[in-house]
Amino acid sequence: MQPILAPYVRTFVDSLTGLPVLPSSVWLIGSQASGRAQAGSDTDLLVFGSSGFLAAVRAALPQPSGIDCLVVVNGNDFEEPWQDKRGALARWNWVLKSANEAQYEGTKFIEDQPGGTLGEFKTLQERAIRIWPS
């Protein structure tokens, strides 16, 4: 089942998939995909494409508000088109579970707890959902 995307997210995905160089797939990741989203949560997208697609995104689209978009350029290495954010899927232990679902290890900061427990980073098993092509 496809997740329900906010209209501004659907518009952005339509912009990505309307470029002259197409991505191979667009995935919803983060709190929206895992069901932990709260009011004000951003939307995280992982887009598989080529270096040509990444260049097309940079040239044609402004940085969206409320959306973090990472472009995977070679099957492993990703970068954010508008900021200096980079990484590798291998570090996330990205695993396809089916054509429409993947699993990966994400890191989440758990806030300070009442009673004096300090906040800490936890590694969580996260879910990714392919939203394009649907």
Side-chain angles (χ1 to χ4, degrees):
M1 182 169 94
Q2 285 289 90
I4 298 172
L5 300 175
Y8 73 96
V9 176
R10 178 54 54 202
T11 298
F12 180 70
V13 171
D14 290 346
S15 296
L16 289 173
T17 59
L19 292 170
V21 180
L22 290 176
S24 58
S25 61
V26 180
W27 294 74
L28 181 67
I29 62 173
S31 64
Q32 300 286 346
S34 66
R36 290 190 324 271
Q38 300 176 3
S41 291
D42 67 353
T43 299
D44 301 300
L45 300 177
L46 187 67
V47 183
F48 287 82
S50 63
S51 57
F53 171 75
L54 178 60
V57 171
R58 285 186 172 131
L61 301 177
Q63 182 175 2
S65 177
I67 299 173
D68 284 335
C69 177
L70 301 172
V71 177
V72 181
V73 294
N74 62 7
N76 182 55
D77 299 313
F78 60 79
E79 55 187 283
E80 205 271 353
W82 306 277
Q83 298 178 32
D84 189 24
K85 184 189 277 187
R86 300 170 186 271
L89 287 182
R91 294 189 68 210
W92 288 8
N93 295 317
W94 178 269
V95 176
L96 285 176
K97 295 300 207 180
S98 71
N100 296 314
E101 191 170 341
Q103 183 176 317
Y104 66 98
E105 291 179 359
T107 304
K108 170 121 177 97
F109 185 74
I110 308 299
E111 299 287 335
D112 294 348
Q113 300 297 312
T117 304
L118 296 178
E120 60 185 329
F121 285 96
K122 296 275 188 180
T123 299
L124 305 171
Q125 289 299 312
E126 298 282 7
R127 178 178 182 223
I129 303 166
R130 188 177 73 158
I131 57 173
W132 186 90
S134 52

